[in-house]
Amino acid sequence: MSVLNPVLLPPNVKAYLSQGERFIKWDDETSIASPVILRVDPKGYYLYWTHQSKEMELLDVTSIRDTRFGKFAKIPKSQKLREVFNMDFPDNHFLLKTLTVVSGPDMVDLTFHNFVSYKENVGKDWAEDVLALAKHPMTANAPRSTFLDKILVKLKMQLNPEGKIPVKNFFQIFPADRKRVEAALSACHLAKGKNDAINPEDFPDSVYKSFLMSLCPRPEIDEIFTSYHAKAKPYMTKEHLTKFINQKQRDPRLNSLLFPPARPEQVQVLIEKYEPSGINVQRGQLSPEGMVWFLCGPENSVLAHDTLLTHHDMTQPLNHYFINSSHNTYLTAGQFSGLSSAEMYRQVLLSGCRCVELDCWKGKPPDEEPIITHGFTMTTDILFKEAIEAIAESAFKTSPYPVILSFENHVDSPRQQAKMAEYCRTMFGETLLTDPLENFPLKPGIPLPSPEDLRGKILIKNKKNQFSRLASSSKKPGVVAEGSCPSSVPVEEDTGWTAEDRTEVEEEEVAEEEEEEESGSLDEEEIKKMQSDEGTAGLEVTAYEEMSSLVNYIQPTKFISFEFSAQKNRSYVVSSFTELKASELLSKASVQFVDYNKRQMSRVYPKGTRMDSSNYMPQMFWNAGCQMVALNFQTMDLPMQQNMALFEFNGQSGYLLKHEFMRRLDKQFNPFSVDRIDVVVATTLSITVISGQFLSERSVRTYVEVELFGLPGDPKRRYRTKLSPTANSINPVWKEEPFIFEKILMPELASLRIAVMEEGGKFLGHRIIPINALHSGYHHLCLRSESNMPLTMPALFVFLEMKDYVPDTWADLTVALANPIKYFNAHHKKSVKLKEVTGSLPEKLFSSGIPVAGQSNGVPVSAGNGSTDLNLKPQH
């Protein structure tokens, strides 16, 4: 509610975008270049261009993934187009006029819309401002009313040559039941014939809403309205609406002093906004139709809008965050065959990922350019420098916080490694962090810098040799690495390490070198290893001086034991685990794994046998505090959907601050706890799936699945509604009991998934939302595609109720604390009745067995005043 919670404003469309600009749109495949006028509609829903023939093309802003200008925009390859743009003439300034808009339903299936402006630097402004619209948090998380308004705007934009709305467009937008569309048009006294057209002036916002109410009536909202409105009156007074807001739409856990309940004078503003009848507005009354639009508005968002913005403390050490991470980033399909693409680095970074992987291999003569590919498979190659260029362009478009490049380095050539390092230095420039920050030296016991400290920086994760070496120590004697120290005596870095630390590092490196020498030639045993769960990660080569010198805060090392890591206490050392190894460690030493992640970072990646690029569920490793839980971003399966949904929050920064129990050294956290977590109040979540709207383009029966992701001790049940009674996908209603998740141990680690399925199991849409970002009350839940893209039409209407968990043994005490007078009056009546039956009063008023604090393991809570923690243990 706006009177209770802040509401984010929609994006602002700059005037020049809606006024439009002349461009030439070109296509390499057809070699056609067409003059167009490019615009954004005033509400920021669509980017569209009009040809000289008046033909119009629309692009939904929510489908825009990137915009590019200058050298990063697409350049024509067709000789015909190059001649059109005079590209082969000197001083043509073509790059100053380019603009490319990238759109698509996922990160692989992309379309590039290419434009050239008539004036220089116009494309730069358009690229920046259109991308800002697409990235605005309210573009994808708009209220239900906005998505419905998008349909009206689209209808009024796509006019026929006579400037009218073709009726056939209604049938295309609402295809599930043509007869219902015709009936709704008739109810609004509009033409309904396939070849008819409607004057836009006859279809204002008020008529459009009447059309929707006729096409998709909401009897379930009428029932809610009836339970709160004045008896025998067809309206709610502002006092009734105030009562509804405070009883149903307000979080019962809120403190009434810090967050005062809504007042009638505040609610009058909502009536003025949503009530269609002017007379009702003057009288402070809300009609049933006004109630529908009120529940579709931003004040009733299912999300706490402030959680979409960067709201976490970004000044904690880097290892105190979950970091959005990608595995084998360059792949567009499976792990064994398929295309590799530098574009994937752009798309993954644009989605908010902060850790990408580069599998580097030696390039072939004559160029000897290092390549990126999946070794010993049939996947294609890309040039290393192309990937670095893509990363340099896209690294900070979505998030300003640090990017980690996880190198799996198989380039056993000092010269080619030097070339790789040079590309990093020249293309990344000052964004590349080559030296530790002054306040965070690489010493045992010193914490890592924070995301804020490292804002705008790129960090390299690659093997690091602690001493400069002669290249003669490599497997290619006689070849000296470019820029290496030509001395037979190792030169020590000023790290402040003890002699014991240096000796131990030398021993670790000798062990690694021996391991590499053993794998110098590819034999059957090696091939088997590559096909194992570890993949090629165990076959990395020596890091020569140039690459080694780029490594600082993310130094990979082979994991030995939790005890060894604790003893060394080096925050900058990171170990990588396959999902199987991480699962094994988690099952055997969960508390130690959590403690390890409090001190330093870990990376988990898919087992090598996932040749189809499927993913593991990341939740179990987040439960252990693992920071970089790397997934295959090209596969939009359930694990990836969960990852994308959660990292959409906190400003899509790619960093989510872990719960303090997973950060504080003085606290112990066991993710397998099934009872309670000290001083953390568990949550009870109840969800009632009431109805759906426009769930499918066909008339089908549908059902809804609801499940919770969280700690192992959380309720694991997956609920499912019955099939909708009829093949009605426009407004099905489910009249079922609420689904209850009684005890969510740590709400900060849990998320809720609600999915709509067609009869037979076909996916129609879903939404995954963190528990802590949910609002209590009646809400419209706008659904997403499998790749987390907003769907304009489908929505669910649900009732959510969140409370502090109260064990049964504390139920009476909770009631007594909530309303002592009411409780004791009721108790006195019971006592009087008991006296009548037994002939005497009970000895003690409290003989009914109200538990005393300390007699139960449950967490008592108070209701009414909003205090959520009566735990008697001291809080730190």
Side-chain angles (χ1 to χ4, degrees), residues 125-145:
D125 292 338
W126 275 79
E128 290 175 352
D129 290 331
V130 169
L131 189 62
L133 288 176
K135 290 289 182 184
H136 192 285
M138 290 307 289
T139 297
N141 294 286
R144 182 61 179 159
S145 56

Side-chain angles (χ1 to χ4, degrees), residues 489-553:
V489 181
V491 179
E492 297 186 4
E493 293 183 13
D494 184 17
T495 60
W497 286 14
T498 64
E500 183 185 348
D501 288 327
R502 296 180 187 281
T503 302
E504 187 237 307
V505 168
E506 286 178 304
E507 289 173 354
E508 283 182 1
E509 290 186 347
V510 168
E512 287 176 1
E513 284 183 358
E514 287 175 355
E515 190 178 323
E516 289 160 9
E517 286 169 9
E518 288 172 8
S519 58
S521 60
L522 188 62
D523 55 23
E524 289 182 14
E525 193 173 327
E526 255 192 342
I527 293 173
K528 285 180 182 176
K529 184 172 185 178
M530 252 126 21
Q531 291 173 340
S532 74
D533 290 318
E534 194 174 347
T536 57
L539 302 174
E540 286 190 81
V541 298
T542 301
Y544 297 106
E545 169 63 18
E546 285 73 13
M547 280 302 298
S548 183
S549 66
L550 302 182
V551 182
N552 36 69
Y553 290 118

Side-chain angles (χ1 to χ4, degrees), residues 409-436:
N409 199 338
H410 302 276
V411 179
D412 59 355
S413 159
R415 188 176 301 278
Q416 289 196 30
Q417 279 204 23
K419 190 179 281 191
M420 290 164 59
E422 182 61 21
Y423 285 141
C424 289
R425 288 181 184 274
T426 55
M427 293 187 183
F428 295 150
E430 293 184 359
T431 63
L432 181 65
L433 187 73
T434 54
D435 298 301

Side-chain angles (χ1 to χ4, degrees), residues 195-216:
N195 299 320
D196 291 337
I198 299 169
N199 192 324
E201 294 176 1
D202 297 332
F203 199 62
D205 184 64
S206 58
V207 175
Y208 172 60
K209 287 182 175 179
S210 297
F211 165 78
L212 286 177
M213 294 298 294
S214 180
L215 175 64
C216 182

Side-chain angles (χ1 to χ4, degrees), residues 44-57:
Y45 299 154
Y46 301 100
L47 175 71
Y48 65 102
W49 49 96
T50 309
H51 295 265
Q52 288 178 323
S53 63
K54 302 299 181 184
E55 179 190 354
M56 180 191 294
E57 294 183 69

Side-chain angles (χ1 to χ4, degrees), residues 473-489:
S473 66
S474 73
K475 299 184 195 97
K476 291 202 171 187
V479 179
V480 179
E482 297 169 18
S484 63
C485 177
S487 166
S488 59
V489 181

Side-chain angles (χ1 to χ4, degrees), residues 50-68:
T50 309
H51 295 265
Q52 288 178 323
S53 63
K54 302 299 181 184
E55 179 190 354
M56 180 191 294
E57 294 183 69
L58 287 177
L59 190 61
D60 193 319
V61 168
T62 62
S63 72
I64 295 176
R65 293 184 168 271
D66 194 14
T67 57
R68 299 169 193 169

